Amino acid sequence: GVGSDWKFMSDGSTSWTAVAYLQNYASSQDKFLFGTGEDSNNTGVKIGSGASERFRIYTQSGGNIAGITYTSSSGFVPNDSTWRHYAFVYDKDAGTFIVYKDGVADSTQGSFSGSFSGTTPADPMTIGKHPNQNTYYTNFTVDELGFFSTALSTSEIDSLTAGDTVLSLGNSDLFAYYDFDGSDLEIYH
């Protein structure tokens, strides 16, 4: 897809959820898990990890944080090789951004800074590195990555944590899915 396909994740217009099984190999540098743009000229969403075993997540406009800003509690992303399920949930109606690890919500919830940007991201969703530079490659091994244009319920997150696949949810708001079995990205919108 193109940047406009992913605008809903950075403009605050709708709830969304990103889910994945992740195996971490921690790094002291900022590393991208996925994003649609991040630098002084871009608008989009960025989810990645940095030092102190934390996630850093934010939406931005023109290099300024606009919308969601979140840094997980220390140790939320353990530096080991254990597979864990993560769900990143923005609920527009509730006004919340919550990250779940193996079905348990992080004690730190996202906050909101200013208003969301209505600008279309310049870059499509990029997995595993900076969206518009060949830098900040991920330190995660990823499986069962799904993007939904809705806030998943805790029971849906629990089903995924218990081993159900993204497709087994039968959720009509599944936007994109990649199971990393060698096939292409499946877009559902």
Side-chain angles (χ1 to χ4, degrees):
V2 295
S4 60
D5 292 336
W6 299 94
K7 183 178 178 181
F8 74 96
M9 288 188 74
S10 60
D11 70 3
S13 65
T14 188
S15 299
W16 57 265
T17 303
V19 298
Y21 279 95
L22 302 174
Q23 188 179 34
N24 183 38
Y25 297 97
S27 170
S28 60
Q29 294 183 335
D30 204 16
K31 300 290 185 178
F32 277 79
L33 179 54
F34 57 82
T36 60
E38 193 221 19
D39 64 27
S40 61
N41 299 316
N42 275 312
T43 296
V45 61
K46 181 256 185 187
I47 295 183
S49 65
S52 302
E53 300 174 345
R54 298 174 188 251
F55 278 119
R56 267 189 25 167
I57 301 162
Y58 52 85
T59 54
Q60 68 172 23
S61 175
N64 299 310
I65 293 176
I68 298 169
T69 180
Y70 163 86
T71 300
S72 66
S73 57
S74 183
F76 191 68
V77 186
N79 182 11
D80 62 24
S81 60
T82 302
W83 282 97
R84 291 180 170 78
H85 185 269
Y86 288 91
F88 306 89
V89 183
Y90 167 61
D91 189 328
K92 177 187 175 194
D93 297 331
T96 58
F97 183 79
I98 301 172
V99 179
Y100 297 84
K101 175 178 73 180
D102 293 331
V104 178
D106 185 14
S107 60
T108 302
Q109 293 191 12
S111 61
F112 297 90
S113 174
S115 59
F116 286 93
S117 168
T119 306
T120 300
D123 299 298
M125 182 60 69
T126 302
I127 300 168
K129 72 173 195 72
H130 193 290
N132 58 1
Q133 298 176 17
N134 289 323
T135 59
Y136 302 110
Y137 290 92
T138 191
N139 50 316
F140 290 98
T141 303
V142 182
D143 198 16
E144 285 287 315
L145 176 62
F147 297 93
F148 296 84
S149 58
T150 189
L152 289 185
S153 68
T154 53
S155 64
E156 288 172 310
I157 292 168
D158 289 345
S159 292
L160 293 171
T161 300
D164 289 345
T165 65
V166 168
L167 292 178
S168 69
L169 290 179
N171 189 307
S172 63
D173 293 311
L174 179 60
F175 182 79
Y177 168 67
Y178 198 81
D179 64 5
F180 296 93
D181 68 355
S183 63
D184 292 331
L185 174 68
E186 299 176 40
I187 303 291
Y188 289 89
H189 64 283

